[in-house]
mmCIF file of all heavy atoms in Angstrom:
data_model
loop_
_atom_site.group_PDB
_atom_site.id
_atom_site.type_symbol
_atom_site.label_atom_id
_atom_site.label_comp_id
_atom_site.label_asym_id
_atom_site.label_seq_id
_atom_site.Cartn_x
_atom_site.Cartn_y
_atom_site.Cartn_z
ATOM 1 N N LYS A 211 -1.158 0.767 -21.901
ATOM 2 C CA LYS A 211 -0.036 -0.170 -22.143
ATOM 3 C C LYS A 211 1.243 0.543 -21.878
ATOM 4 O O LYS A 211 1.484 1.669 -22.293
ATOM 5 C CB LYS A 211 -0.079 -0.686 -23.577
ATOM 6 C CG LYS A 211 1.067 -1.553 -24.040
ATOM 7 C CD LYS A 211 0.916 -1.919 -25.521
ATOM 8 C CE LYS A 211 2.079 -2.843 -25.933
ATOM 9 N NZ LYS A 211 2.029 -3.133 -27.405
ATOM 10 N N GLN A 212 2.178 -0.137 -21.156
ATOM 11 C CA GLN A 212 3.534 0.412 -20.940
ATOM 12 C C GLN A 212 4.595 -0.558 -21.472
ATOM 13 O O GLN A 212 4.759 -1.692 -20.909
ATOM 14 C CB GLN A 212 3.732 0.714 -19.437
ATOM 15 C CG GLN A 212 5.084 1.336 -19.188
ATOM 16 C CD GLN A 212 5.369 1.570 -17.689
ATOM 17 O OE1 GLN A 212 4.903 0.779 -16.854
ATOM 18 N NE2 GLN A 212 6.110 2.597 -17.382
ATOM 19 N N GLU A 213 5.256 -0.118 -22.529
ATOM 20 C CA GLU A 213 6.348 -0.967 -23.018
ATOM 21 C C GLU A 213 7.647 -0.651 -22.177
ATOM 22 O O GLU A 213 7.734 0.435 -21.563
ATOM 23 C CB GLU A 213 6.576 -0.693 -24.501
ATOM 24 C CG GLU A 213 5.348 -1.109 -25.306
ATOM 25 C CD GLU A 213 5.544 -0.903 -26.783
ATOM 26 O OE1 GLU A 213 6.524 -0.337 -27.174
ATOM 27 O OE2 GLU A 213 4.639 -1.309 -27.545
ATOM 28 N N PRO A 214 8.633 -1.579 -22.223
ATOM 29 C CA PRO A 214 9.816 -1.361 -21.368
ATOM 30 C C PRO A 214 10.459 -0.015 -21.635
ATOM 31 O O PRO A 214 10.727 0.354 -22.759
ATOM 32 C CB PRO A 214 10.748 -2.548 -21.840
ATOM 33 C CG PRO A 214 9.765 -3.573 -22.271
ATOM 34 C CD PRO A 214 8.603 -2.885 -22.884
ATOM 35 N N GLY A 215 10.742 0.692 -20.550
ATOM 36 C CA GLY A 215 11.444 1.942 -20.636
ATOM 37 C C GLY A 215 10.624 3.115 -21.141
ATOM 38 O O GLY A 215 11.190 4.161 -21.452
ATOM 39 N N ALA A 216 9.348 2.936 -21.308
ATOM 40 C CA ALA A 216 8.496 4.001 -21.871
ATOM 41 C C ALA A 216 7.384 4.422 -20.898
ATOM 42 O O ALA A 216 7.214 3.797 -19.850
ATOM 43 C CB ALA A 216 7.875 3.455 -23.150
ATOM 44 N N GLY A 217 6.675 5.416 -21.307
ATOM 45 C CA GLY A 217 5.548 5.895 -20.517
ATOM 46 C C GLY A 217 4.258 5.069 -20.864
ATOM 47 O O GLY A 217 4.325 4.119 -21.575
ATOM 48 N N LEU A 218 3.206 5.442 -20.171
ATOM 49 C CA LEU A 218 1.903 4.739 -20.431
ATOM 50 C C LEU A 218 1.244 5.289 -21.644
ATOM 51 O O LEU A 218 1.193 6.526 -21.868
ATOM 52 C CB LEU A 218 0.973 4.953 -19.211
ATOM 53 C CG LEU A 218 1.209 3.972 -18.100
ATOM 54 C CD1 LEU A 218 2.476 4.269 -17.329
ATOM 55 C CD2 LEU A 218 -0.008 4.042 -17.148
ATOM 56 N N GLN A 219 0.710 4.408 -22.445
ATOM 57 C CA GLN A 219 0.040 4.787 -23.678
ATOM 58 C C GLN A 219 -1.416 4.325 -23.646
ATOM 59 O O GLN A 219 -1.612 3.133 -23.301
ATOM 60 C CB GLN A 219 0.776 4.179 -24.877
ATOM 61 C CG GLN A 219 0.141 4.427 -26.241
ATOM 62 C CD GLN A 219 0.864 3.662 -27.319
ATOM 63 O OE1 GLN A 219 1.656 2.809 -27.025
ATOM 64 N NE2 GLN A 219 0.544 4.008 -28.541
ATOM 65 N N LEU A 220 -2.389 5.129 -23.913
ATOM 66 C CA LEU A 220 -3.766 4.728 -23.864
ATOM 67 C C LEU A 220 -4.029 3.738 -24.946
ATOM 68 O O LEU A 220 -3.699 3.974 -26.152
ATOM 69 C CB LEU A 220 -4.706 5.961 -24.046
ATOM 70 C CG LEU A 220 -6.199 5.540 -24.042
ATOM 71 C CD1 LEU A 220 -6.633 5.215 -22.605
ATOM 72 C CD2 LEU A 220 -7.016 6.701 -24.565
ATOM 73 N N LEU A 221 -4.546 2.502 -24.606
ATOM 74 C CA LEU A 221 -4.952 1.534 -25.573
ATOM 75 C C LEU A 221 -6.358 1.710 -25.978
ATOM 76 O O LEU A 221 -6.673 1.696 -27.209
ATOM 77 C CB LEU A 221 -4.795 0.145 -24.985
ATOM 78 C CG LEU A 221 -3.496 -0.652 -25.100
ATOM 79 C CD1 LEU A 221 -3.654 -2.014 -24.533
ATOM 80 C CD2 LEU A 221 -3.061 -0.717 -26.552
ATOM 81 N N THR A 222 -7.241 1.769 -25.023
ATOM 82 C CA THR A 222 -8.689 1.830 -25.332
ATOM 83 C C THR A 222 -9.390 2.226 -24.046
ATOM 84 O O THR A 222 -8.776 2.274 -22.952
ATOM 85 C CB THR A 222 -9.216 0.478 -25.835
ATOM 86 O OG1 THR A 222 -10.582 0.674 -26.298
ATOM 87 C CG2 THR A 222 -9.155 -0.587 -24.774
ATOM 88 N N TYR A 223 -10.655 2.562 -24.194
ATOM 89 C CA TYR A 223 -11.492 2.982 -23.085
ATOM 90 C C TYR A 223 -12.938 2.588 -23.326
ATOM 91 O O TYR A 223 -13.272 2.308 -24.484
ATOM 92 C CB TYR A 223 -11.392 4.516 -22.754
ATOM 93 C CG TYR A 223 -11.874 5.366 -23.923
ATOM 94 C CD1 TYR A 223 -13.163 5.696 -24.054
ATOM 95 C CD2 TYR A 223 -10.958 5.803 -24.872
ATOM 96 C CE1 TYR A 223 -13.622 6.501 -25.172
ATOM 97 C CE2 TYR A 223 -11.391 6.544 -25.999
ATOM 98 C CZ TYR A 223 -12.701 6.886 -26.081
ATOM 99 O OH TYR A 223 -13.095 7.637 -27.153
ATOM 100 N N ILE A 224 -13.720 2.529 -22.278
ATOM 101 C CA ILE A 224 -15.114 2.129 -22.394
ATOM 102 C C ILE A 224 -15.917 2.963 -21.473
ATOM 103 O O ILE A 224 -15.458 3.214 -20.334
ATOM 104 C CB ILE A 224 -15.327 0.636 -22.208
ATOM 105 C CG1 ILE A 224 -16.737 0.200 -22.530
ATOM 106 C CG2 ILE A 224 -14.955 0.207 -20.782
ATOM 107 C CD1 ILE A 224 -16.888 -1.300 -22.608
ATOM 108 N N PHE A 225 -17.143 3.410 -21.902
ATOM 109 C CA PHE A 225 -17.997 4.111 -20.965
ATOM 110 C C PHE A 225 -18.823 3.073 -20.178
ATOM 111 O O PHE A 225 -19.156 2.019 -20.767
ATOM 112 C CB PHE A 225 -18.891 5.130 -21.693
ATOM 113 C CG PHE A 225 -19.583 6.061 -20.745
ATOM 114 C CD1 PHE A 225 -18.838 6.938 -19.980
ATOM 115 C CD2 PHE A 225 -20.933 6.062 -20.611
ATOM 116 C CE1 PHE A 225 -19.485 7.892 -19.165
ATOM 117 C CE2 PHE A 225 -21.607 6.951 -19.784
ATOM 118 C CZ PHE A 225 -20.868 7.858 -19.026
ATOM 119 N N SER A 226 -19.180 3.394 -18.979
ATOM 120 C CA SER A 226 -19.747 2.353 -18.067
ATOM 121 C C SER A 226 -21.204 1.996 -18.482
ATOM 122 O O SER A 226 -21.741 1.064 -17.904
ATOM 123 C CB SER A 226 -19.755 2.876 -16.634
ATOM 124 O OG SER A 226 -20.360 4.136 -16.552
ATOM 125 N N ASN A 227 -21.811 2.639 -19.475
ATOM 126 C CA ASN A 227 -23.093 2.189 -19.967
ATOM 127 C C ASN A 227 -22.987 1.170 -21.104
ATOM 128 O O ASN A 227 -23.975 0.777 -21.692
ATOM 129 C CB ASN A 227 -23.998 3.371 -20.347
ATOM 130 C CG ASN A 227 -23.445 4.112 -21.576
ATOM 131 O OD1 ASN A 227 -22.404 3.749 -22.094
ATOM 132 N ND2 ASN A 227 -24.238 5.047 -22.071
ATOM 133 N N MET A 228 -21.739 0.836 -21.464
ATOM 134 C CA MET A 228 -21.562 -0.191 -22.527
ATOM 135 C C MET A 228 -21.129 -1.499 -21.936
ATOM 136 O O MET A 228 -20.566 -1.563 -20.841
ATOM 137 C CB MET A 228 -20.426 0.331 -23.467
ATOM 138 C CG MET A 228 -20.705 1.645 -24.172
ATOM 139 S SD MET A 228 -19.241 2.293 -24.981
ATOM 140 C CE MET A 228 -18.986 1.056 -26.256
ATOM 141 N N ASP A 229 -21.400 -2.575 -22.664
ATOM 142 C CA ASP A 229 -21.016 -3.934 -22.245
ATOM 143 C C ASP A 229 -19.717 -4.377 -22.928
ATOM 144 O O ASP A 229 -18.990 -5.152 -22.409
ATOM 145 C CB ASP A 229 -22.089 -4.933 -22.581
ATOM 146 C CG ASP A 229 -23.383 -4.652 -21.836
ATOM 147 O OD1 ASP A 229 -23.341 -4.203 -20.672
ATOM 148 O OD2 ASP A 229 -24.419 -4.884 -22.411
ATOM 149 N N MET A 230 -19.502 -3.870 -24.124
ATOM 150 C CA MET A 230 -18.360 -4.390 -24.935
ATOM 151 C C MET A 230 -17.972 -3.293 -25.904
ATOM 152 O O MET A 230 -18.724 -2.449 -26.377
ATOM 153 C CB MET A 230 -18.796 -5.610 -25.732
ATOM 154 C CG MET A 230 -17.661 -6.248 -26.509
ATOM 155 S SD MET A 230 -18.217 -7.649 -27.460
ATOM 156 C CE MET A 230 -18.764 -6.835 -28.948
ATOM 157 N N LYS A 231 -16.655 -3.288 -26.123
ATOM 158 C CA LYS A 231 -16.098 -2.398 -27.217
ATOM 159 C C LYS A 231 -15.014 -3.199 -27.927
ATOM 160 O O LYS A 231 -14.154 -3.815 -27.304
ATOM 161 C CB LYS A 231 -15.510 -1.146 -26.594
ATOM 162 C CG LYS A 231 -14.938 -0.150 -27.579
ATOM 163 C CD LYS A 231 -14.416 1.084 -26.890
ATOM 164 C CE LYS A 231 -13.797 2.008 -27.930
ATOM 165 N NZ LYS A 231 -13.296 3.255 -27.246
ATOM 166 N N GLN A 232 -14.986 -3.161 -29.223
ATOM 167 C CA GLN A 232 -14.029 -3.851 -30.070
ATOM 168 C C GLN A 232 -13.204 -2.878 -30.876
ATOM 169 O O GLN A 232 -13.792 -1.979 -31.482
ATOM 170 C CB GLN A 232 -14.643 -4.901 -30.903
ATOM 171 C CG GLN A 232 -13.676 -5.860 -31.591
ATOM 172 C CD GLN A 232 -14.236 -7.200 -31.875
ATOM 173 O OE1 GLN A 232 -15.402 -7.460 -31.579
ATOM 174 N NE2 GLN A 232 -13.446 -8.094 -32.403
ATOM 175 N N ASP A 233 -11.933 -3.069 -30.905
ATOM 176 C CA ASP A 233 -11.058 -2.211 -31.711
ATOM 177 C C ASP A 233 -9.905 -3.099 -32.238
ATOM 178 O O ASP A 233 -8.958 -3.368 -31.559
ATOM 179 C CB ASP A 233 -10.525 -1.113 -30.829
ATOM 180 C CG ASP A 233 -9.670 -0.114 -31.598
ATOM 181 O OD1 ASP A 233 -9.533 -0.259 -32.851
ATOM 182 O OD2 ASP A 233 -9.163 0.855 -30.972
ATOM 183 N N GLN A 234 -10.120 -3.567 -33.466
ATOM 184 C CA GLN A 234 -9.113 -4.389 -34.135
ATOM 185 C C GLN A 234 -8.897 -5.686 -33.260
ATOM 186 O O GLN A 234 -9.873 -6.455 -33.048
ATOM 187 C CB GLN A 234 -7.843 -3.643 -34.502
ATOM 188 C CG GLN A 234 -8.101 -2.494 -35.410
ATOM 189 C CD GLN A 234 -6.886 -1.756 -35.802
ATOM 190 O OE1 GLN A 234 -5.891 -1.604 -35.040
ATOM 191 N NE2 GLN A 234 -6.836 -1.253 -37.004
ATOM 192 N N ARG A 235 -7.712 -5.883 -32.786
ATOM 193 C CA ARG A 235 -7.452 -7.133 -32.014
ATOM 194 C C ARG A 235 -7.865 -7.005 -30.583
ATOM 195 O O ARG A 235 -7.768 -7.958 -29.818
ATOM 196 C CB ARG A 235 -5.926 -7.459 -32.065
ATOM 197 C CG ARG A 235 -5.457 -7.927 -33.432
ATOM 198 C CD ARG A 235 -4.050 -8.475 -33.394
ATOM 199 N NE ARG A 235 -3.060 -7.567 -32.934
ATOM 200 C CZ ARG A 235 -2.299 -7.632 -31.886
ATOM 201 N NH1 ARG A 235 -2.413 -8.757 -31.091
ATOM 202 N NH2 ARG A 235 -1.400 -6.784 -31.536
ATOM 203 N N LEU A 236 -8.319 -5.841 -30.164
ATOM 204 C CA LEU A 236 -8.656 -5.630 -28.741
ATOM 205 C C LEU A 236 -10.130 -5.680 -28.537
ATOM 206 O O LEU A 236 -10.893 -5.086 -29.259
ATOM 207 C CB LEU A 236 -8.175 -4.235 -28.328
ATOM 208 C CG LEU A 236 -6.668 -3.926 -28.479
ATOM 209 C CD1 LEU A 236 -6.383 -2.522 -28.015
ATOM 210 C CD2 LEU A 236 -5.788 -4.899 -27.686
ATOM 211 N N THR A 237 -10.552 -6.398 -27.463
ATOM 212 C CA THR A 237 -11.976 -6.454 -27.100
ATOM 213 C C THR A 237 -12.035 -6.106 -25.571
ATOM 214 O O THR A 237 -11.358 -6.761 -24.791
ATOM 215 C CB THR A 237 -12.583 -7.805 -27.301
ATOM 216 O OG1 THR A 237 -12.516 -8.100 -28.719
ATOM 217 C CG2 THR A 237 -14.071 -7.757 -26.957
ATOM 218 N N VAL A 238 -12.814 -5.127 -25.236
ATOM 219 C CA VAL A 238 -13.032 -4.789 -23.824
ATOM 220 C C VAL A 238 -14.419 -5.268 -23.399
ATOM 221 O O VAL A 238 -15.367 -5.018 -24.136
ATOM 222 C CB VAL A 238 -12.964 -3.258 -23.611
ATOM 223 C CG1 VAL A 238 -13.185 -2.975 -22.116
ATOM 224 C CG2 VAL A 238 -11.576 -2.748 -23.979
ATOM 225 N N LEU A 239 -14.470 -6.002 -22.348
ATOM 226 C CA LEU A 239 -15.758 -6.475 -21.791
ATOM 227 C C LEU A 239 -15.960 -5.846 -20.410
ATOM 228 O O LEU A 239 -15.049 -5.820 -19.596
ATOM 229 C CB LEU A 239 -15.802 -7.949 -21.682
ATOM 230 C CG LEU A 239 -15.750 -8.786 -23.002
ATOM 231 C CD1 LEU A 239 -15.700 -10.242 -22.729
ATOM 232 C CD2 LEU A 239 -16.920 -8.443 -23.880
ATOM 233 N N LEU A 240 -17.202 -5.385 -20.172
ATOM 234 C CA LEU A 240 -17.513 -4.776 -18.892
ATOM 235 C C LEU A 240 -18.782 -5.437 -18.332
ATOM 236 O O LEU A 240 -19.734 -5.504 -18.930
ATOM 237 C CB LEU A 240 -17.777 -3.255 -19.065
ATOM 238 C CG LEU A 240 -18.207 -2.456 -17.859
ATOM 239 C CD1 LEU A 240 -17.176 -2.562 -16.731
ATOM 240 C CD2 LEU A 240 -18.494 -1.014 -18.216
#
Side-chain angles (χ1 to χ4, degrees):
Chain A
K211 177 183 181 182
Q212 183 184 29
E213 296 183 354
L218 277 71
Q219 177 186 14
L220 180 73
L221 267 184
T222 187
Y223 59 88
I224 188 169
F225 193 65
S226 54
N227 67 354
M228 298 170 65
D229 297 324
M230 185 181 84
K231 180 179 180 181
Q232 188 151 2
D233 184 2
Q234 299 182 326
R235 292 191 298 122
L236 304 178
T237 303
V238 178
L239 294 177
L240 177 59

